[in-house]
Amino acid sequence: MEMRAQIPKSLREEGIGILKPQFFVLENNLEAVARHMLIFSLALEDPEKMGLQERSETFLEVWGNALLRPPVAAFVRAQADLLAHLVPEPDRLEEQLPWLSLRALKFRERDALEAVFRFWAGGEKGPEAFPMSRLWDSRLRHYLGSRYDARRGVSDWDLRMKLHDRGAQVIHTQEFRRWRDTGVAFELRDSSAYHVPNRTLASGRLLSYRGERVAARGYWGDIATGPFVAFGIEADDESLLRTSNGQPVKTAGEITQHNVTELLREVAAWGRARASRGDAEEQQSSEASPEPGTPAAPTPESFIVHFLPLNSAETLHHKSCYNGRFQLLYVACGMVHLLSPELGACVAPGGNLIVELARYLVDVRQEQLQGFNTQVGERARAAGFAPQTEARPSETFARFCKSQESDLGSTDPAVEPGTPSLDVLAQPLEASSPAPEGLTQPLQGGTPHCEPCQLPSESPGSLSEVLAQPQGALAVSNCESDSKTGV
């Protein structure tokens, strides 16, 4: 939810003053990794090539819409084609995208990542390669069942009795209905302009069909909560949240667009400031050089995002380069089942843990939310963390601090009766059920099923480079909530 949008702010709040921050992202499928790469490359696009408004609108459509406008779809194809050529060539990748590191991924994961980008780039032509509208409707029918014909009433109930009661009053009925019906959350142009399937939302799964395991490509993301809660229910500008006759003046979509635009503006300004400081340091170094013609030291990059092997949470602590390294661990609500003593061992003493709670999951009842919060606290304590007493109370995030000593042999607490299983939150129903008619497409040459992966074997060069990097932050993300949680 809001958490991912606030990770940089959280780093400042937690006092992590790193000269060159390192972010390590652990996902459970490669399509989510590809989406991260695409959205990062969009957010860091040269302002001279793409203006601020165009970048913010493109961001919103790619991130939160099931259907795209043709110009945005063309951008996705071009960027995916570029990334497909860069992924197999590490040297070119580091040269053109110095903020990105895929060194920790296995070779088969890189090959599968390349296949994802090639699918996005249009290797399979035509909308039938990924009929998003039909897949959305089929999933909605499966989700609602006998309530499908009353879906408008169900939508209004979920919005008013759940999201509004939990603090998201600015979400308007019309925009929430539109998203529930079509998957289009941010309608920045005429509705007829949105007709190209957003292939970045596609993912592959192994499903049980007539007693056999079948690889299929479909849409398995959010169809219940919506992406509005990520950037659209809070704002620093209080005027955006004012009401008239008890109704919000601005919609969640308008607030989202404002917040994303300001976020991208800050990123661009931060980059320019660092570049200017780097040029000044380079000039001073050149002037102080005793020998004419001696080149100045290159300015270090602002940050690096490392992607870790899929499902490697239980094995990271076996590597000395990860054990006790991270200053901040962020865990999405759908990945809380991975919070364990093994993962906690990767956090340095005194480090911080931020866990996203399930506040805005409309399918989770209020009493279940309390049980989930209790489980989060118990798992955090078992992993060696203690609650932050000085942190302000929050119903959206739970904050903890790493104890000076932690017991790696601690066992996970038992699940209380009536509390939703963490594994259920981590995996949608369709992953373990027979595929309903028309819900999926055959997967040809796509990505492999997500399996537990071991860390790549150590090589003298790569390991020494990792050990030389400063401490950073680890984010355990969740692709299933990607469309509603942001970057």
Side-chain angles (χ1 to χ4, degrees):
M1 299 156 187
E2 303 135 275
M3 189 53 218
R4 287 193 199 171
Q6 295 180 354
I7 285 180
K9 181 179 178 181
S10 298
L11 287 174
R12 294 194 296 270
E13 290 177 352
E14 303 299 340
I16 300 178
I18 309 172
L19 178 63
K20 184 178 178 181
Q22 310 284 313
F23 298 90
F24 294 77
V25 180
L26 176 61
E27 278 290 0
N28 58 9
N29 72 55
L30 291 169
E31 290 87 357
V33 173
R35 260 177 72 85
H36 287 320
M37 293 172 59
L38 176 67
I39 291 176
F40 266 117
S41 63
L42 171 61
L44 300 173
E45 184 67 78
D46 188 345
E48 296 182 359
K49 295 181 180 179
M50 180 179 287
L52 181 62
Q53 181 178 351
E54 183 182 2
R55 260 187 301 152
S56 62
E57 293 180 352
T58 302
F59 177 96
L60 290 179
E61 291 191 28
V62 172
W63 171 65
N65 285 0
L67 301 174
L68 306 175
R69 290 181 293 122
V72 176
F75 168 81
V76 172
R77 287 194 297 269
Q79 200 70 16
D81 184 66
L82 172 63
L83 292 171
H85 285 87
L86 291 179
V87 166
E89 302 184 29
D91 293 339
R92 285 188 59 202
L93 180 67
E94 292 184 358
E95 179 182 350
Q96 297 194 29
L97 304 176
W99 52 267
L100 174 65
S101 175
L102 302 179
R103 289 184 176 274
L105 296 184
K106 290 186 174 183
F107 287 111
R108 66 182 178 89
E109 291 175 332
R110 295 190 195 182
D111 292 341
L113 191 61
E114 180 186 357
V116 172
F117 285 124
R118 295 203 179 280
F119 171 70
W120 292 1
E124 301 175 30
K125 302 294 183 182
E128 286 305 312
F130 185 61
M132 185 64 189
S133 295
R134 180 163 62 85
L135 294 173
W136 183 277
D137 184 68
S138 297
R139 179 117 191 269
L140 197 61
R141 288 175 181 271
H142 187 65
Y143 170 69
L144 296 177
S146 60
R147 301 181 299 163
Y148 179 80
D149 291 337
R151 58 188 178 279
R152 177 162 292 190
V154 175
S155 172
D156 293 347
W157 175 271
D158 287 345
L159 176 62
R160 296 182 182 277
M161 304 305 294
K162 296 179 181 179
L163 290 177
H164 281 185
D165 285 351
R166 298 176 188 180
Q169 295 92 343
V170 296
I171 303 178
H172 281 230
T173 302
Q174 293 300 325
E175 61 184 347
F176 190 75
R177 280 181 185 173
R178 182 187 63 232
W179 174 78
R180 272 283 183 95
D181 290 340
T182 66
V184 177
F186 307 108
E187 198 171 84
L188 309 175
R189 299 291 186 274
D190 184 80
S191 58
S192 61
Y194 298 90
H195 57 82
V196 182
N198 185 356
R199 294 193 178 197
T200 70
L201 296 178
S203 59
R205 283 191 179 276
L206 287 177
L207 301 176
S208 297
Y209 184 69
R210 294 180 180 177
E212 297 182 359
R213 302 289 284 176
V214 180
R217 177 185 288 122
Y219 173 69
W220 314 108
D222 175 37
I223 57 171
T225 298
F228 307 105
V229 297
F231 298 97
I233 61 177
E234 295 180 356
D236 293 334
D237 185 354
E238 294 295 334
S239 65
L240 296 172
L241 303 176
R242 66 186 180 89
T243 60
S244 177
N245 297 324
Q247 297 297 320
V249 174
K250 297 292 184 181
T251 66
E254 292 171 329
I255 297 173
T256 297
Q257 186 173 9
H258 169 82
N259 286 338
V260 168
T261 301
E262 291 304 309
L263 181 63
L264 295 179
R265 192 195 308 277
E266 287 186 11
V267 170
W270 180 58
R272 286 195 299 269
R274 291 189 65 89
S276 300
R277 184 166 67 251
D279 292 342
E281 292 174 354
E282 182 176 346
Q283 182 178 358
Q284 293 176 2
S285 177
S286 177
E287 292 174 354
S289 176
E291 299 180 6
T294 302
T299 303
E301 296 301 327
S302 302
F303 65 93
I304 298 180
V305 179
H306 304 263
F307 288 100
L308 299 174
L310 302 182
N311 301 317
S312 57
E314 296 181 355
T315 59
L316 285 178
H317 69 286
H318 291 310
K319 298 287 184 177
S320 59
C321 56
Y322 297 128
N323 192 13
R325 173 176 187 179
F326 303 110
Q327 298 292 336
L328 172 64
L329 170 63
Y330 163 69
V331 181
C333 63
M335 301 287 271
V336 172
H337 62 288
L338 296 181
L339 184 56
S340 63
E342 290 78 16
L343 190 60
C346 297
V347 180
N352 297 286
L353 166 67
I354 301 177
V355 181
E356 177 189 34
L357 302 178
R359 181 183 183 185
Y360 296 109
L361 297 184
V362 299
D363 293 325
V364 180
R365 297 187 299 273
Q366 190 64 39
E367 60 272 17
Q368 291 177 316
L369 290 177
Q370 298 300 324
F372 180 81
N373 295 348
T374 301
Q375 286 190 58
V376 167
E378 293 174 345
R379 283 183 173 267
R381 285 191 291 272
F385 295 90
Q388 286 188 1
T389 55
E390 70 279 5
R392 62 181 182 274
S394 172
E395 297 181 31
T396 310
F397 318 121
R399 295 171 179 267
F400 304 89
C401 183
K402 179 67 177 293
S403 306
Q404 296 300 320
E405 296 181 0
S406 60
D407 183 9
L408 190 59
S410 300
T411 58
D412 291 339
V415 179
E416 298 179 359
T419 301
S421 169
L422 299 180
D423 294 328
V424 171
L425 287 176
Q427 194 171 28
L429 177 64
E430 290 82 356
S432 58
S433 303
E437 187 70 22
L439 187 61
T440 60
Q441 294 290 306
L443 183 60
Q444 299 175 352
T447 57
H449 179 59
C450 300
E451 300 173 351
C453 301
Q454 303 296 323
L455 287 170
S457 58
E458 296 182 11
S459 61
S462 61
L463 182 58
S464 61
E465 183 175 346
V466 171
L467 288 171
Q469 295 170 350
Q471 292 182 330
L474 172 63
V476 183
S477 305
N478 178 20
C479 64
E480 304 305 336
S481 60
D482 183 65
S483 64
K484 66 174 181 288
T485 54
V487 178

